[in-house]
Amino acid sequence: MAATKAKNQSSLVLHKVIMVGSGGVGKSALTLQFMYDEFVEDYEPTKADSYRKKVVLDGEEAQIDILDTAGQEDYAAIRDNYFRSGEGFLLVFSITEHESFSSTVELREQILRVKSEDDKIPLLLVGNKCDLEDRRQVSVDEARGKAEQWGVQYVETSAKTRANVDKVFFDLMREVKLKKMSENKEKNGKKSGKSKKSLKDRCCLL
Ligand code: GDP
Ligand code: MG
């Protein structure tokens, strides 16, 4: 029975999500809040780690794999490997630090460069620490404007109060799932198209 269970678990669809953003914006706090329902205030800032959790996405069981990056991204090769392995990205800044918002522009470009084969990459712009309204440096309008320009969703979160934490992970997984579904359709379409063509080619030879 244990074997059956293990088999079921491993056959679940896996959605690979990467946390991206400058240091101190709350990538680890958001990850740990989503994973374990707790606010961790002093997570080691240089520690990158990955987490896996079983979820129910729109009534269907799946697994999420979260890679919480932490500074090693400064080394281009490591960063590119991380980004390449991701299917969806939470691009996080802190609403209390304008510089972290500015950094998202370059981080997004790095993601696009690595995933250049993709037309639309599942990505959400996340303004974290929304519980610290009195320290806000990035207005909702400014962030929303950027997100609109990029054609992505903008969501404000708080890893402290848990506001919108589930939402950003689930909305992103939904985007990843949709993209996989449309890619599969395309692949199948191409396959049948190709076989038709080769059949036609063979006919020509005859
Ligand atoms: P990372 O470097 O992006 O992983 O950032 P961390 O998750 O380590 O968070 C950096 C600091 O910000 C820590 O002291 C956290 O407790 C704090 N922090 C993270 N998210 C929030 C939040 O939503 N609200 C508040 N008030 N503090 C937060
Ligand atoms: Mg961290």
Side-chain angles (χ1 to χ4, degrees):
M1 204 176 139
T4 320
K5 199 175 168 205
K7 193 174 170 231
N8 285 344
Q9 185 108 348
S10 65
S11 64
L12 287 179
V13 187
L14 183 63
H15 300 306
K16 293 184 205 160
V17 167
I18 318 258
M19 307 298 290
V20 183
S22 49
V25 298
K27 299 180 296 297
S28 302
L30 285 169
T31 304
L32 297 169
Q33 182 60 270
F34 178 72
M35 286 296 302
Y36 309 119
D37 291 287
E38 57 183 15
F39 179 50
V40 179
E41 282 199 69
D42 49 2
Y43 189 74
E44 173 57 54
T46 58
K47 192 166 176 229
D49 219 335
S50 68
Y51 303 82
R52 198 169 279 194
K53 184 179 177 167
K54 199 163 149 183
V55 293
V56 179
L57 178 63
D58 301 329
E60 222 178 292
E61 279 194 338
Q63 280 188 101
I64 183 169
D65 186 285
I66 307 169
L67 178 64
D68 173 28
T69 64
Q72 295 92 331
E73 310 89 79
D74 290 342
Y75 299 99
I78 297 179
R79 185 193 63 214
D80 288 358
N81 269 335
Y82 278 170
F83 288 179
R84 204 167 289 126
S85 72
E87 296 172 326
F89 298 82
L90 289 184
L91 188 46
V92 188
F93 68 91
S94 166
I95 65 151
T96 65
E97 193 203 339
H98 200 278
E99 216 181 312
S100 71
F101 175 64
S102 307
S103 303
T104 60
V105 174
E106 202 192 331
L107 289 166
R108 177 177 167 270
E109 277 166 12
Q110 288 164 352
I111 295 169
L112 294 188
R113 216 175 297 142
V114 170
K115 315 246 354 138
S116 54
E117 81 279 9
D118 290 330
D119 44 356
K120 179 106 174 60
I121 296 153
L123 184 148
L124 260 72
L125 182 62
V126 178
N128 188 42
K129 306 198 188 184
C130 74
D131 56 292
L132 300 175
E133 187 57 45
D134 52 335
R135 285 172 48 195
R136 182 186 283 275
Q137 286 184 5
V138 183
S139 72
V140 174
D141 279 353
E142 187 179 10
R144 202 173 275 155
K146 182 66 72 190
E148 267 169 26
Q149 189 191 322
W150 292 344
V152 303
Q153 198 190 155
Y154 174 59
V155 184
E156 297 203 335
T157 55
S158 168
K160 188 170 182 177
T161 67
R162 213 173 197 279
N164 283 337
V165 171
D166 282 338
K167 177 181 168 57
V168 287
F169 285 99
F170 275 92
D171 282 4
L172 182 63
M173 272 191 280
R174 221 164 267 134
E175 282 190 25
V176 169
K177 187 179 164 185
L178 277 175
K179 180 153 193 256
K180 282 178 186 164
M181 279 162 61
S182 75
E183 275 171 1
N184 278 345
K185 240 185 234 163
E186 211 173 278
K187 239 190 248 167
N188 290 339
K190 262 189 200 149
K191 246 185 228 160
S192 58
K194 199 177 163 197
S195 68
K196 255 183 218 154
K197 188 165 180 271
S198 59
L199 192 68
K200 199 177 144 214
D201 285 349
R202 256 180 269 150
C203 291
C204 286
L205 279 174
L206 287 173

